[in-house]
Structures are given as C-alpha cells and as structure tokens.
Amino acid sequence: MAEVIMSSIQILSPQLANQIAAGEVVERPSSVVKELVENSLDAGASRIDIEIERGGTKLIRIHDNGSGIAKEYLTLALERHATSKIATLEDLAAIMSMGFRGEALTSISSVSRLILTSRVKTQTEAWQAYAEGREMNITLKPAAHPIGTTVEVIDLFYNMPARRKFLRTEKTEFSHINEVIRRIALARFDVAINFHHNGKLVRQYRAINSEEQYERRLAAICGNTFIKNVLKLCWQHGDLAIKGWITNPYLGKAAEIQYCYVNDRMIRDRLINHAIRQAYADHMQEEQQAAYVLYLKIDPRQVDVNVHPAKQEIRFHQARLVHDFIYQGVNMVLSQQNQKQFNQVEISSKHKKNPVLGLQNRLSAGKNFFASDDSKQHLVIEEQKAQVIIELSTSSQITPSETASFYCYDNGKLVKKIDNKKTADLYQQFMQNELCKQEKIPLFPERNPIQTEKIAVKSVVIEKNDKNYQFGKILTICSKNFALIESSFGIGLLSLAQAERYLKLSQLIPTDKGLKSQPLLRPIKVTLTAKEIKTFYQVKVLLSTLGFDINIYHNKAIISGVSYPLRSQNLAELFPQLLKSLADNTSCQIKELVIWLADHLVNEKQVWTVAQGVQLLADLEQAYPELVKEPPKTLLQLIDLESVITALTYE
C-alpha cells in the first residue's frame, strides 16, 4: 500500500500573517486613507490634513489634532489585534467607533514603510515609531510634533510587486481617494478636512457646527444641482431615526449620488437601497433613479458591523423593521411633495383652461407660442383608466407633419415624454377610436367657415391613473416559504419558491452569444457511464450555450466552469441528473433545458426569512418586470378580504 505523506503543519510567521491580513484591509491607496482617517475621527480630531503623492502610491500622510497616542503605546499600536476601541464581547456587540479590529496599522505597515508620530497632552515631547514591511522591526525616537498624530505611509506595496502591478493609473487612484474623502466629509460636518495632491490643495471642507449651514458643505460635495432638487427628510420611531436629503423626482433627472450612513459609518447595504428604491417606485420615471444622502441612527446593539474586513457592510438584527421604517420615511416626504404638485395643478386650473398641460408643459418645454385662449381647443375622453387630452392649434405656422409630444402624468407628475412625427396618422387613429364614435366626437372641432388656417395636433397628454407595478411590501412569512404581501393588487400570498424559480429562469436565458462561463475554484470530476458520455457529446453545443465548460477524460467529466446561477449548486449530483433527462430527448431545445434547470435549482423545502424574501422580490422585479404586471396564480394568490369582513360584520 502506498505510503501517505502529509505536509507538516506550522504557524505562519508574523510577517506572512500580516501580509495576508493586509490583503483584506488594504485593497488600494484609498483603503489606507479610509482606515487612517477613521482612526483620526475616533481620536476626536476636529481637523484632518490629508496629503498624497502620485495617487497615494508614493506617499500618504494623515495629520490630525486628536488626543494622540502615548509613548508607551506607540509600539503596541503597530501590533496585530491591538486596539483601544473594545475590550470585551459586550463591547463588540455595541460598537460606536469607526475602527475596532486592530488590524489597520499593522496591515499597512506590513506592505509599506510606515512612520507613526504622536503626542498627548501629558507629554512635553512627541515620539515617533518607524516600521518597515519586511522585518517589521520598530524603531522609537523623540520628535517635534503638536498634540495629535501623523501617520506617513511611504511606497505602498513596495515589497509586494504583484500587488503594486495591479494598481491603476495615478488619476484613477486619486479619484478613489477623492470619493472616500467626499463620503467622510458628508459623515462629519463638524470636522475640517484639507486634501492635498502632489503639493496642491484640491479640496477644503471647513468645519460646520450648525445644521442651517449643512447645505453649504452638501453643495460643495454633491453640487448645486443636487441642492436645488432636494427634499429634507426627518423621520423617527422609537430607537430608529433617519434624516438627510432626497431628490425631488418631479424636477427631472437627478445627479447620481447615493450616500448612506448608519451611526455615521459609511456603508453599502442592499436592504437600505431596496427600501429607498421601493419608496421611489411610484414617483419616478423609468429613466430616473433615486439620489440621496441619508443618515440612519439605530441602537448599536441592533446592528452587526463585524461582517466585512473593511467594515463596509453591516447586518441588521431586525431587517424587516428597518426596511419598513426607511420605506415609510422616504415615502412620506415624497407623498407630501406629490400633494403639493397636485395642489399647484388645482390652483392653476382656476385660471387656465388647460391646467395640466399649461403647468407641466411649461416646466419642460418653455413658453408655448401657439397657446392662446382663442386659438386652441381641447378634447378629453376616458379610456381604460387613462385620461387623454389632445391640444389642437389653429396657427397657420403648424402643419400636420409637425412632431407631436406625448406627456404621461401620474397624479400630477410627469412620468414620460415621447415624440412622434406621424402626427396626422396618430390623430386619425385616435379619433376613429370606438369610444370617440360613441361619444360622437367630431374629427375636427366645429369652426367658423371663414377661418381657413390648418389644424394640427400640437401635443397629447396621457394621464395614467394606474400605479407602477411592484410586488409590494412583505408583511410576514407564512408556512416557511410563503410571503404575505401588501401591494397595489391588494393583500396576497406569494410563493417564494416560485419567485425564485422565475428569477432563475430569467438568469438562465442565454443571449445571442450564450451565457458566460465562470470558472470554478476547483474543477469537479463526475464519473459517467458510456450512455451518459454519448448523450453528453450529442448535447455538448447546447450545454456550452448555457455556460457549461466540460471536458471528458477517461470516463470522467471535468466540470471547469458554469454560468452564474449554477455556481452554488451541487454539480456532482445535478449534472448526471441532467444527462439522464437529456438521454430521452437529445433534440431538446434551449427553452426546455432552461425550464428543467430552473425547476431543479429551487429548494422547495427552504425556510425563508423576511430579509431574504425582500431581496428575492427586489431582484425579481428588476430582472422580470413583465411578471409583476400579471403575476400567474401559481406565484401570487389574492386573499378575499370582503368575505372575511362580511363574516365579521354584525348588522
């Protein structure tokens, strides 16, 4: 019997362990800036000066006027897992500081030449610690320095050529650092931040201590366009509070700004993004997107910030509560603005014959030179819950071939504008509508025979009363895999298993070039029978179209890559089942194969949580919007509340 030789197990050297940790914390120069500036904020700094050279690859210097680090702790500060932020498990469960892992300084020093200089109030002189990546030897000496701390990071990744090679251009790395500083400046208005690049001052944010002046910094960071279009949000319930600014969707396209903070920590969270997107759904045009700067305050015991090495992601203990709270806050502000818009329309209607067109069209198209009270008439009909207004102009300067503009409104807001050059044909088609015939609306309005000017359709307004299609809000989970939802359809029960199946279907449908194959971390070997091998070669092209990267060697299939939806599946079990199914139908079409895969990728016994359900419906709404308009009965069943109400009503 062959002798089995096992490699010896050993403890990694501190240098190697630190460089591995640095791979998680230090992705690029902007990661270093983020970690060091957060340390300055934790030290209570009111002023932070940031200097970089060559996009941060040559030098990163962070100076602050915080509390500083005492001499006896300077060396310890560069040790791994050394931190002053937490001491017990209870501290970890309620973190309010920006940093707490105790890995930043030691990880940075392992991939650069790091100089740490600091002084506290009780010391008459400052002390400086110097650490270099390869040996990690720390040298301590006195220095001249005011109260506070300066950290210098020189030659980032100098001892890791492979990592340094993957850095981008100086301009790109600078833009990443600039974005980090922008986000931090929005989190702490009370801190002055000065940013220098290659010796030149490029950003200067002065400290602001009154909320009345917050918009000054907001304009400096997000631009005047964002400021002009924002609505203030302030919403609180129990231990939850959210405030900030969201864009007014009724004033056109907004800047692409989406900043969110939880307890002043800048984060990216899919649950928060979905709540905001859902609140905006009934108020935005299709080409618009939500823009916002929001600050969420929550009990630190109700949020886990220890889920990402760079502390950029979090997890809420009560995800459903947070989601609904944010949704209600944003939706309240948008609904109030919608009511203001509607009130403006009503006020204008007292003075104008065509209030909707007169107000909304002026915002987007300027003055209408053809809109005089005696030169236009309007026809209004109701059809399929949509109000259609046709504006007729009698000016001789317009011909029937002029462009017609379609303005779609929902509760007084502009939803969509479409231009159509076939005005005459469109008008003829509209006037021949059966409803027009029933109402006996003439092809052209009656006119004075003396008038000979040409009549042309100048614009059409379609006011849509239906709401945008959304699955709605999940109230709770029933019987492990059904979601009780509240939507525009009413109260209903939605099958999360079927929703997942439809999502997989949309992900498995190949493009013209087929699905992209993603390599597996380790190829999977599956032993096949002669019949299965024969079947494989008969359907190999079909499988390649769906992203399968498979080769046969000595009666074994080597699966090297699959498409994204299949990466998390048990391929060693799924692939033989697939070949067995195809053996009876080698002429199978793509559509049939996609349906088979989608059916087998769904776990009917999965127990769902509200957070998982919210994310699934958000993904499905984006990937399969047609399904939301007319959900099949196997996906969604409405609950008849009328019979229940009748049974509970006593005469």
Side-chain angles (χ1 to χ4, degrees), residues 94-98 187-188 239-241 260-267 294-305 314 316:
I95 294 174
M96 288 299 293
S97 59
M98 296 295 102
R188 295 294 300 271
D239 294 332
L240 287 171
C260 191
Y261 303 85
V262 176
N263 293 341
D264 292 333
R265 181 188 303 279
M266 53 182 182
I267 56 95
L294 292 175
Y295 305 87
L296 178 67
K297 292 291 184 180
I298 185 173
D299 185 343
R301 293 168 297 184
Q302 296 298 320
V303 59
D304 184 4
V305 299
I314 59 175
F316 295 105

Side-chain angles (χ1 to χ4, degrees), residues 74-76 78-79 129-132 135-140:
L74 272 181
T75 303
L76 187 61
L78 297 176
E79 294 291 335
Y130 173 77
E132 189 171 334
E135 301 298 334
M136 297 294 293
N137 295 325
I138 300 174
T139 304
L140 196 65

Side-chain angles (χ1 to χ4, degrees), residues 348-528:
S348 300
S349 65
K350 298 178 181 179
H351 307 285
K352 297 182 180 180
K353 293 184 178 180
N354 185 20
V356 177
L357 193 61
L359 174 65
Q360 300 290 351
N361 195 26
R362 295 296 76 73
L363 293 176
S364 59
K367 184 178 180 182
N368 185 348
F369 297 101
F370 308 105
S372 59
D373 293 338
D374 57 351
S375 65
K376 66 178 181 179
Q377 300 180 24
H378 302 89
L379 300 176
V380 181
I381 69 167
E382 291 291 328
E383 179 182 19
Q384 298 177 353
K385 298 182 181 180
Q387 184 183 30
V388 183
I389 303 175
I390 295 188
E391 178 185 356
L392 303 175
S393 175
T394 61
S395 172
S396 59
Q397 301 178 26
I398 302 185
T399 64
S401 61
E402 288 271 340
T403 298
S405 298
F406 293 72
Y407 297 88
C408 304
Y409 294 87
D410 183 5
N411 294 327
K413 70 165 180 137
L414 180 63
V415 175
K416 195 171 185 180
K417 177 187 176 187
I418 307 172
D419 291 331
N420 191 312
K421 294 185 178 181
K422 298 182 179 179
T423 307
D425 294 341
L426 175 68
Y427 184 68
Q428 292 281 356
Q429 181 180 0
F430 175 79
M431 298 308 299
Q432 291 173 3
N433 183 280
E434 290 298 325
L435 185 57
C436 293
K437 293 179 181 179
Q438 293 173 11
E439 298 297 328
K440 298 182 179 180
I441 300 177
L443 182 60
F444 293 103
E446 296 182 5
R447 302 185 47 77
N448 191 323
I450 300 177
Q451 295 177 323
T452 57
E453 297 91 352
K454 295 181 180 179
I455 300 176
V457 179
K458 179 59 182 175
S459 59
V460 177
V461 177
I462 301 179
E463 183 178 77
K464 189 77 172 177
N465 295 324
D466 292 337
K467 296 182 177 180
N468 290 342
Y469 294 101
Q470 291 277 328
F471 277 117
K473 181 173 62 176
I474 295 182
L475 302 176
T476 188
I477 300 297
C478 306
S479 300
K480 300 180 180 180
N481 59 5
F482 293 92
L484 184 67
I485 67 171
E486 178 185 8
S487 69
S488 58
F489 299 105
I491 302 295
L493 204 60
L494 184 141
S495 170
L496 293 173
Q498 282 296 317
E500 186 181 26
R501 177 180 178 274
Y502 281 113
L503 180 61
K504 295 297 183 185
L505 272 174
S506 66
Q507 293 173 340
L508 286 167
I509 297 175
T511 62
D512 295 338
K513 297 181 180 180
L515 292 179
K516 184 178 180 181
S517 178
Q518 297 188 0
L520 299 175
L521 185 61
R522 293 182 60 184
I524 297 175
K525 297 181 180 180
V526 181
T527 302
L528 302 179

Side-chain angles (χ1 to χ4, degrees), residues 241-253:
I242 188 170
K243 65 178 182 178
W245 299 269
I246 61 177
T247 52
N248 186 348
Y250 306 110
L251 295 181
K253 188 175 181 180

